[in-house]
């Protein structure tokens, strides 16, 4: 199987890193803002541009936290034990979610705090490779494609019991809106030689003005046809 590529996301230096006030001789506590989940790389030059004045620090000092939870770092210091020019560290960031929505309704960035504390510092442990005991394990990557573009306020009577009060939606589908709705998906990193499989999940929320009557079944109000590259993949009615 071909080796999967690792997607590295850069921290937005201009808006993502800022040094807070620190006393003389102290290393500043810094704030890292991430826009999506994934692996992020921060270089020593990024920190210097954001206010770090130290030319080099002990590689055991960088410590990352998120909501008082320690986040492990992968330090690339060239093996000399000093974090300086040309060095970097990587960490895995999470998507900032709302209480009942995938995206947070008030902030587009998640916040990670970088301090210099040997006791609080955690590192990604490197384990020696071991031969697989069974069949090769396939790696699965999940992508969430959503863009909050429409603000629609729905009352509790419209949402129904237990429905999440999500205010933001991507697109609206109705008889008066342009059809079909086209959503581009990039499959360029799918390895055809290993016959990688791709599954697509579509989530919709619908409203109905019809009410069921006793002894009379409720007619279907909604029908959705899904096509992939122009080929029919399914039809759902409800």
């Amino acid at each position: 199987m071909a080796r999967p590529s690792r997607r590295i996301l850069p921290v937005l230096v201009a808006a993502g890193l800022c040094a807070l006030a620190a006393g003389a001789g102290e290393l500043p506590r810094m704030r890292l803002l991430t826009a999506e989940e994934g692996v992020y790389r921060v270089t020593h030059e990024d920190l210097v541009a954001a206010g770090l004045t130290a030319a080099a620090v002990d590689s055991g000092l960088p410590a990352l936290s998120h909501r008082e939870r320690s986040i492990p770092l992968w330090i690339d210091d060239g093996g000399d034990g000093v974090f300086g020019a040309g060095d970097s560290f990587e960490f895995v960031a999470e998507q900032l979610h709302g209480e009942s929505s995938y995206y947070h309704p008030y902030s587009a960035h998640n916040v990670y705090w970088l301090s210099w504390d040997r006791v609080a510092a955690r590192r990604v442990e490197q384990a020696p490779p071991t031969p697989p005991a069974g069949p090769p394990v396939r790696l699965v990557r999940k992508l969430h494609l959503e863009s909050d573009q429409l603000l629609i306020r729905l009352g509790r009577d419209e949402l129904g019991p237990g429905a999440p009060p999500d205010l933001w939606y991507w697109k609206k589908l109705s008889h008066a809106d342009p059809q079909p709705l086209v959503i581009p998906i990039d499959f360029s990193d799918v390895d055809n030689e290993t016959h990688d499989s791709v599954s697509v999940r579509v989530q919709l929320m619908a409203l109905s003005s019809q009410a069921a009557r006793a002894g009379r079944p409720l007619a279907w109000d909604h029908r959705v046809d899904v096509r992939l590259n122009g080929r029919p993949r399914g039809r759902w009615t409800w």
Side-chain angles (χ1 to χ4, degrees), residues 178-205:
Q179 296 186 22
L181 172 63
V182 179
I183 300 177
I185 304 177
D186 184 9
F187 292 127
S188 60
D189 60 346
V190 175
D191 194 340
N192 293 325
E193 295 182 0
T194 59
H195 305 288
D196 285 347
S197 61
V198 177
S199 60
V200 179
R201 178 183 179 185
V202 180
Q203 185 174 4
L204 302 168
M205 181 174 183

PDB file of all heavy atoms in Angstrom, residues 178-205:
ATOM      1  N   PRO A 178     -32.269  27.422  -7.131  1.00  0.00           N
ATOM      2  CA  PRO A 178     -31.600  26.765  -8.269  1.00  0.00           C
ATOM      3  C   PRO A 178     -31.265  25.310  -7.964  1.00  0.00           C
ATOM      4  O   PRO A 178     -30.829  24.980  -6.863  1.00  0.00           O
ATOM      5  CB  PRO A 178     -30.329  27.605  -8.446  1.00  0.00           C
ATOM      6  CG  PRO A 178     -30.641  28.928  -7.824  1.00  0.00           C
ATOM      7  CD  PRO A 178     -31.564  28.623  -6.671  1.00  0.00           C
ATOM      8  N   GLN A 179     -31.479  24.466  -8.936  1.00  0.00           N
ATOM      9  CA  GLN A 179     -31.170  23.046  -8.786  1.00  0.00           C
ATOM     10  C   GLN A 179     -30.442  22.560 -10.026  1.00  0.00           C
ATOM     11  O   GLN A 179     -30.633  23.095 -11.123  1.00  0.00           O
ATOM     12  CB  GLN A 179     -32.471  22.261  -8.573  1.00  0.00           C
ATOM     13  CG  GLN A 179     -33.179  22.620  -7.285  1.00  0.00           C
ATOM     14  CD  GLN A 179     -34.382  21.735  -7.021  1.00  0.00           C
ATOM     15  OE1 GLN A 179     -34.479  20.627  -7.542  1.00  0.00           O
ATOM     16  NE2 GLN A 179     -35.302  22.210  -6.208  1.00  0.00           N
ATOM     17  N   PRO A 180     -29.611  21.546  -9.932  1.00  0.00           N
ATOM     18  CA  PRO A 180     -29.287  20.852  -8.693  1.00  0.00           C
ATOM     19  C   PRO A 180     -28.251  21.613  -7.861  1.00  0.00           C
ATOM     20  O   PRO A 180     -27.555  22.492  -8.379  1.00  0.00           O
ATOM     21  CB  PRO A 180     -28.692  19.525  -9.201  1.00  0.00           C
ATOM     22  CG  PRO A 180     -28.038  19.912 -10.497  1.00  0.00           C
ATOM     23  CD  PRO A 180     -28.937  20.953 -11.104  1.00  0.00           C
ATOM     24  N   LEU A 181     -28.166  21.267  -6.590  1.00  0.00           N
ATOM     25  CA  LEU A 181     -27.136  21.813  -5.719  1.00  0.00           C
ATOM     26  C   LEU A 181     -25.865  20.994  -5.915  1.00  0.00           C
ATOM     27  O   LEU A 181     -25.865  19.786  -5.718  1.00  0.00           O
ATOM     28  CB  LEU A 181     -27.577  21.742  -4.260  1.00  0.00           C
ATOM     29  CG  LEU A 181     -26.518  22.105  -3.212  1.00  0.00           C
ATOM     30  CD1 LEU A 181     -26.087  23.551  -3.368  1.00  0.00           C
ATOM     31  CD2 LEU A 181     -27.032  21.846  -1.801  1.00  0.00           C
ATOM     32  N   VAL A 182     -24.783  21.656  -6.342  1.00  0.00           N
ATOM     33  CA  VAL A 182     -23.526  20.980  -6.641  1.00  0.00           C
ATOM     34  C   VAL A 182     -22.515  21.279  -5.526  1.00  0.00           C
ATOM     35  O   VAL A 182     -22.275  22.446  -5.201  1.00  0.00           O
ATOM     36  CB  VAL A 182     -22.959  21.428  -7.995  1.00  0.00           C
ATOM     37  CG1 VAL A 182     -21.626  20.729  -8.266  1.00  0.00           C
ATOM     38  CG2 VAL A 182     -23.950  21.142  -9.109  1.00  0.00           C
ATOM     39  N   ILE A 183     -21.948  20.232  -4.954  1.00  0.00           N
ATOM     40  CA  ILE A 183     -20.926  20.364  -3.912  1.00  0.00           C
ATOM     41  C   ILE A 183     -19.663  19.670  -4.414  1.00  0.00           C
ATOM     42  O   ILE A 183     -19.627  18.438  -4.537  1.00  0.00           O
ATOM     43  CB  ILE A 183     -21.385  19.728  -2.583  1.00  0.00           C
ATOM     44  CG1 ILE A 183     -22.672  20.408  -2.093  1.00  0.00           C
ATOM     45  CG2 ILE A 183     -20.289  19.836  -1.526  1.00  0.00           C
ATOM     46  CD1 ILE A 183     -23.241  19.794  -0.830  1.00  0.00           C
ATOM     47  N   PRO A 184     -18.611  20.414  -4.730  1.00  0.00           N
ATOM     48  CA  PRO A 184     -17.366  19.778  -5.216  1.00  0.00           C
ATOM     49  C   PRO A 184     -16.621  19.084  -4.088  1.00  0.00           C
ATOM     50  O   PRO A 184     -16.500  19.613  -2.987  1.00  0.00           O
ATOM     51  CB  PRO A 184     -16.574  20.971  -5.769  1.00  0.00           C
ATOM     52  CG  PRO A 184     -17.075  22.153  -5.008  1.00  0.00           C
ATOM     53  CD  PRO A 184     -18.528  21.882  -4.716  1.00  0.00           C
ATOM     54  N   ILE A 185     -16.117  17.894  -4.365  1.00  0.00           N
ATOM     55  CA  ILE A 185     -15.328  17.121  -3.406  1.00  0.00           C
ATOM     56  C   ILE A 185     -14.033  16.714  -4.096  1.00  0.00           C
ATOM     57  O   ILE A 185     -14.059  16.175  -5.206  1.00  0.00           O
ATOM     58  CB  ILE A 185     -16.091  15.877  -2.915  1.00  0.00           C
ATOM     59  CG1 ILE A 185     -17.438  16.278  -2.307  1.00  0.00           C
ATOM     60  CG2 ILE A 185     -15.275  15.115  -1.882  1.00  0.00           C
ATOM     61  CD1 ILE A 185     -18.276  15.097  -1.865  1.00  0.00           C
ATOM     62  N   ASP A 186     -12.911  16.961  -3.446  1.00  0.00           N
ATOM     63  CA  ASP A 186     -11.602  16.674  -4.027  1.00  0.00           C
ATOM     64  C   ASP A 186     -11.170  15.257  -3.658  1.00  0.00           C
ATOM     65  O   ASP A 186     -10.954  14.943  -2.491  1.00  0.00           O
ATOM     66  CB  ASP A 186     -10.576  17.691  -3.507  1.00  0.00           C
ATOM     67  CG  ASP A 186      -9.208  17.511  -4.162  1.00  0.00           C
ATOM     68  OD1 ASP A 186      -9.113  16.719  -5.119  1.00  0.00           O
ATOM     69  OD2 ASP A 186      -8.243  18.157  -3.711  1.00  0.00           O
ATOM     70  N   PHE A 187     -11.058  14.389  -4.658  1.00  0.00           N
ATOM     71  CA  PHE A 187     -10.612  13.011  -4.454  1.00  0.00           C
ATOM     72  C   PHE A 187      -9.214  12.793  -5.019  1.00  0.00           C
ATOM     73  O   PHE A 187      -8.828  11.672  -5.321  1.00  0.00           O
ATOM     74  CB  PHE A 187     -11.575  12.024  -5.131  1.00  0.00           C
ATOM     75  CG  PHE A 187     -12.926  11.967  -4.495  1.00  0.00           C
ATOM     76  CD1 PHE A 187     -14.072  12.136  -5.257  1.00  0.00           C
ATOM     77  CD2 PHE A 187     -13.065  11.733  -3.141  1.00  0.00           C
ATOM     78  CE1 PHE A 187     -15.331  12.076  -4.685  1.00  0.00           C
ATOM     79  CE2 PHE A 187     -14.322  11.677  -2.549  1.00  0.00           C
ATOM     80  CZ  PHE A 187     -15.454  11.849  -3.319  1.00  0.00           C
ATOM     81  N   SER A 188      -8.433  13.867  -5.168  1.00  0.00           N
ATOM     82  CA  SER A 188      -7.126  13.748  -5.813  1.00  0.00           C
ATOM     83  C   SER A 188      -6.139  12.926  -5.002  1.00  0.00           C
ATOM     84  O   SER A 188      -5.180  12.387  -5.552  1.00  0.00           O
ATOM     85  CB  SER A 188      -6.542  15.144  -6.069  1.00  0.00           C
ATOM     86  OG  SER A 188      -6.378  15.858  -4.856  1.00  0.00           O
ATOM     87  N   ASP A 189      -6.354  12.820  -3.679  1.00  0.00           N
ATOM     88  CA  ASP A 189      -5.407  12.063  -2.864  1.00  0.00           C
ATOM     89  C   ASP A 189      -5.826  10.611  -2.668  1.00  0.00           C
ATOM     90  O   ASP A 189      -5.216   9.879  -1.891  1.00  0.00           O
ATOM     91  CB  ASP A 189      -5.217  12.731  -1.500  1.00  0.00           C
ATOM     92  CG  ASP A 189      -6.518  12.824  -0.713  1.00  0.00           C
ATOM     93  OD1 ASP A 189      -7.589  12.627  -1.329  1.00  0.00           O
ATOM     94  OD2 ASP A 189      -6.467  13.075   0.496  1.00  0.00           O
ATOM     95  N   VAL A 190      -6.866  10.174  -3.362  1.00  0.00           N
ATOM     96  CA  VAL A 190      -7.294   8.775  -3.277  1.00  0.00           C
ATOM     97  C   VAL A 190      -6.371   7.919  -4.139  1.00  0.00           C
ATOM     98  O   VAL A 190      -6.122   8.235  -5.309  1.00  0.00           O
ATOM     99  CB  VAL A 190      -8.759   8.621  -3.722  1.00  0.00           C
ATOM    100  CG1 VAL A 190      -9.158   7.154  -3.736  1.00  0.00           C
ATOM    101  CG2 VAL A 190      -9.675   9.418  -2.808  1.00  0.00           C
ATOM    102  N   ASP A 191      -5.850   6.862  -3.562  1.00  0.00           N
ATOM    103  CA  ASP A 191      -4.903   5.990  -4.256  1.00  0.00           C
ATOM    104  C   ASP A 191      -5.676   4.922  -5.025  1.00  0.00           C
ATOM    105  O   ASP A 191      -6.207   3.977  -4.441  1.00  0.00           O
ATOM    106  CB  ASP A 191      -3.950   5.349  -3.241  1.00  0.00           C
ATOM    107  CG  ASP A 191      -2.745   4.698  -3.922  1.00  0.00           C
ATOM    108  OD1 ASP A 191      -2.838   4.407  -5.124  1.00  0.00           O
ATOM    109  OD2 ASP A 191      -1.726   4.498  -3.247  1.00  0.00           O
ATOM    110  N   ASN A 192      -5.749   5.075  -6.334  1.00  0.00           N
ATOM    111  CA  ASN A 192      -6.490   4.106  -7.150  1.00  0.00           C
ATOM    112  C   ASN A 192      -5.783   2.757  -7.227  1.00  0.00           C
ATOM    113  O   ASN A 192      -6.414   1.721  -7.431  1.00  0.00           O
ATOM    114  CB  ASN A 192      -6.690   4.665  -8.561  1.00  0.00           C
ATOM    115  CG  ASN A 192      -7.607   5.875  -8.571  1.00  0.00           C
ATOM    116  OD1 ASN A 192      -8.556   5.944  -7.799  1.00  0.00           O
ATOM    117  ND2 ASN A 192      -7.315   6.834  -9.441  1.00  0.00           N
ATOM    118  N   GLU A 193      -4.447   2.758  -7.086  1.00  0.00           N
ATOM    119  CA  GLU A 193      -3.702   1.506  -7.186  1.00  0.00           C
ATOM    120  C   GLU A 193      -4.040   0.556  -6.046  1.00  0.00           C
ATOM    121  O   GLU A 193      -3.974  -0.660  -6.207  1.00  0.00           O
ATOM    122  CB  GLU A 193      -2.208   1.801  -7.204  1.00  0.00           C
ATOM    123  CG  GLU A 193      -1.747   2.589  -8.432  1.00  0.00           C
ATOM    124  CD  GLU A 193      -0.256   2.822  -8.427  1.00  0.00           C
ATOM    125  OE1 GLU A 193       0.401   2.370  -7.461  1.00  0.00           O
ATOM    126  OE2 GLU A 193       0.254   3.440  -9.378  1.00  0.00           O
ATOM    127  N   THR A 194      -4.365   1.098  -4.877  1.00  0.00           N
ATOM    128  CA  THR A 194      -4.709   0.245  -3.732  1.00  0.00           C
ATOM    129  C   THR A 194      -6.223   0.118  -3.559  1.00  0.00           C
ATOM    130  O   THR A 194      -6.682  -0.445  -2.577  1.00  0.00           O
ATOM    131  CB  THR A 194      -4.094   0.815  -2.443  1.00  0.00           C
ATOM    132  OG1 THR A 194      -4.589   2.149  -2.243  1.00  0.00           O
ATOM    133  CG2 THR A 194      -2.585   0.845  -2.531  1.00  0.00           C
ATOM    134  N   HIS A 195      -6.964   0.667  -4.537  1.00  0.00           N
ATOM    135  CA  HIS A 195      -8.422   0.562  -4.527  1.00  0.00           C
ATOM    136  C   HIS A 195      -9.018   1.148  -3.246  1.00  0.00           C
ATOM    137  O   HIS A 195      -9.849   0.527  -2.587  1.00  0.00           O
ATOM    138  CB  HIS A 195      -8.865  -0.900  -4.702  1.00  0.00           C
ATOM    139  CG  HIS A 195      -8.299  -1.557  -5.922  1.00  0.00           C
ATOM    140  ND1 HIS A 195      -8.723  -1.256  -7.196  1.00  0.00           N
ATOM    141  CD2 HIS A 195      -7.310  -2.483  -6.061  1.00  0.00           C
ATOM    142  CE1 HIS A 195      -8.042  -1.982  -8.072  1.00  0.00           C
ATOM    143  NE2 HIS A 195      -7.174  -2.714  -7.410  1.00  0.00           N
ATOM    144  N   ASP A 196      -8.564   2.342  -2.890  1.00  0.00           N
ATOM    145  CA  ASP A 196      -9.138   3.018  -1.737  1.00  0.00           C
ATOM    146  C   ASP A 196     -10.620   3.268  -1.975  1.00  0.00           C
ATOM    147  O   ASP A 196     -11.040   3.644  -3.072  1.00  0.00           O
ATOM    148  CB  ASP A 196      -8.431   4.361  -1.497  1.00  0.00           C
ATOM    149  CG  ASP A 196      -7.050   4.170  -0.890  1.00  0.00           C
ATOM    150  OD1 ASP A 196      -6.768   3.042  -0.446  1.00  0.00           O
ATOM    151  OD2 ASP A 196      -6.274   5.139  -0.857  1.00  0.00           O
ATOM    152  N   SER A 197     -11.405   3.067  -0.942  1.00  0.00           N
ATOM    153  CA  SER A 197     -12.844   3.291  -1.046  1.00  0.00           C
ATOM    154  C   SER A 197     -13.209   4.619  -0.375  1.00  0.00           C
ATOM    155  O   SER A 197     -12.551   5.060   0.559  1.00  0.00           O
ATOM    156  CB  SER A 197     -13.616   2.145  -0.375  1.00  0.00           C
ATOM    157  OG  SER A 197     -13.282   2.062   1.006  1.00  0.00           O
ATOM    158  N   VAL A 198     -14.259   5.237  -0.891  1.00  0.00           N
ATOM    159  CA  VAL A 198     -14.728   6.510  -0.368  1.00  0.00           C
ATOM    160  C   VAL A 198     -16.225   6.400  -0.118  1.00  0.00           C
ATOM    161  O   VAL A 198     -16.978   5.933  -0.976  1.00  0.00           O
ATOM    162  CB  VAL A 198     -14.449   7.660  -1.360  1.00  0.00           C
ATOM    163  CG1 VAL A 198     -15.017   8.967  -0.827  1.00  0.00           C
ATOM    164  CG2 VAL A 198     -12.958   7.795  -1.624  1.00  0.00           C
ATOM    165  N   SER A 199     -16.650   6.813   1.070  1.00  0.00           N
ATOM    166  CA  SER A 199     -18.076   6.857   1.381  1.00  0.00           C
ATOM    167  C   SER A 199     -18.451   8.299   1.685  1.00  0.00           C
ATOM    168  O   SER A 199     -17.693   9.027   2.320  1.00  0.00           O
ATOM    169  CB  SER A 199     -18.409   5.961   2.587  1.00  0.00           C
ATOM    170  OG  SER A 199     -17.693   6.389   3.739  1.00  0.00           O
ATOM    171  N   VAL A 200     -19.615   8.700   1.193  1.00  0.00           N
ATOM    172  CA  VAL A 200     -20.099  10.066   1.354  1.00  0.00           C
ATOM    173  C   VAL A 200     -21.406  10.027   2.138  1.00  0.00           C
ATOM    174  O   VAL A 200     -22.324   9.277   1.796  1.00  0.00           O
ATOM    175  CB  VAL A 200     -20.307  10.747  -0.011  1.00  0.00           C
ATOM    176  CG1 VAL A 200     -20.838  12.172   0.185  1.00  0.00           C
ATOM    177  CG2 VAL A 200     -19.009  10.779  -0.803  1.00  0.00           C
ATOM    178  N   ARG A 201     -21.480  10.855   3.179  1.00  0.00           N
ATOM    179  CA  ARG A 201     -22.690  10.937   3.998  1.00  0.00           C
ATOM    180  C   ARG A 201     -23.275  12.338   3.871  1.00  0.00           C
ATOM    181  O   ARG A 201     -22.577  13.327   4.042  1.00  0.00           O
ATOM    182  CB  ARG A 201     -22.365  10.650   5.463  1.00  0.00           C
ATOM    183  CG  ARG A 201     -23.579  10.760   6.394  1.00  0.00           C
ATOM    184  CD  ARG A 201     -23.165  10.526   7.837  1.00  0.00           C
ATOM    185  NE  ARG A 201     -24.287  10.656   8.736  1.00  0.00           N
ATOM    186  CZ  ARG A 201     -24.201  10.588  10.063  1.00  0.00           C
ATOM    187  NH1 ARG A 201     -23.022  10.372  10.623  1.00  0.00           N
ATOM    188  NH2 ARG A 201     -25.269  10.734  10.826  1.00  0.00           N
ATOM    189  N   VAL A 202     -24.549  12.410   3.538  1.00  0.00           N
ATOM    190  CA  VAL A 202     -25.242  13.683   3.358  1.00  0.00           C
ATOM    191  C   VAL A 202     -26.261  13.836   4.477  1.00  0.00           C
ATOM    192  O   VAL A 202     -27.054  12.924   4.740  1.00  0.00           O
ATOM    193  CB  VAL A 202     -25.948  13.739   1.987  1.00  0.00           C
ATOM    194  CG1 VAL A 202     -26.674  15.070   1.820  1.00  0.00           C
ATOM    195  CG2 VAL A 202     -24.933  13.544   0.861  1.00  0.00           C
ATOM    196  N   GLN A 203     -26.233  14.985   5.157  1.00  0.00           N
ATOM    197  CA  GLN A 203     -27.163  15.234   6.251  1.00  0.00           C
ATOM    198  C   GLN A 203     -28.042  16.430   5.908  1.00  0.00           C
ATOM    199  O   GLN A 203     -27.552  17.491   5.499  1.00  0.00           O
ATOM    200  CB  GLN A 203     -26.403  15.506   7.552  1.00  0.00           C
ATOM    201  CG  GLN A 203     -27.308  15.646   8.771  1.00  0.00           C
ATOM    202  CD  GLN A 203     -26.522  15.763  10.057  1.00  0.00           C
ATOM    203  OE1 GLN A 203     -25.300  15.819  10.042  1.00  0.00           O
ATOM    204  NE2 GLN A 203     -27.232  15.803  11.166  1.00  0.00           N
ATOM    205  N   LEU A 204     -29.350  16.249   6.058  1.00  0.00           N
ATOM    206  CA  LEU A 204     -30.315  17.279   5.717  1.00  0.00           C
ATOM    207  C   LEU A 204     -31.272  17.507   6.876  1.00  0.00           C
ATOM    208  O   LEU A 204     -31.476  16.626   7.717  1.00  0.00           O
ATOM    209  CB  LEU A 204     -31.132  16.875   4.477  1.00  0.00           C
ATOM    210  CG  LEU A 204     -30.346  16.575   3.200  1.00  0.00           C
ATOM    211  CD1 LEU A 204     -31.255  15.911   2.181  1.00  0.00           C
ATOM    212  CD2 LEU A 204     -29.755  17.848   2.630  1.00  0.00           C
ATOM    213  N   MET A 205     -31.845  18.699   6.895  1.00  0.00           N
ATOM    214  CA  MET A 205     -32.902  19.003   7.861  1.00  0.00           C
ATOM    215  C   MET A 205     -34.069  19.576   7.084  1.00  0.00           C
ATOM    216  O   MET A 205     -33.893  20.494   6.259  1.00  0.00           O
ATOM    217  CB  MET A 205     -32.428  20.000   8.910  1.00  0.00           C
ATOM    218  CG  MET A 205     -33.473  20.336   9.950  1.00  0.00           C
ATOM    219  SD  MET A 205     -32.812  21.401  11.269  1.00  0.00           S
ATOM    220  CE  MET A 205     -34.250  21.516  12.324  1.00  0.00           C
TER     221      MET A 205
END
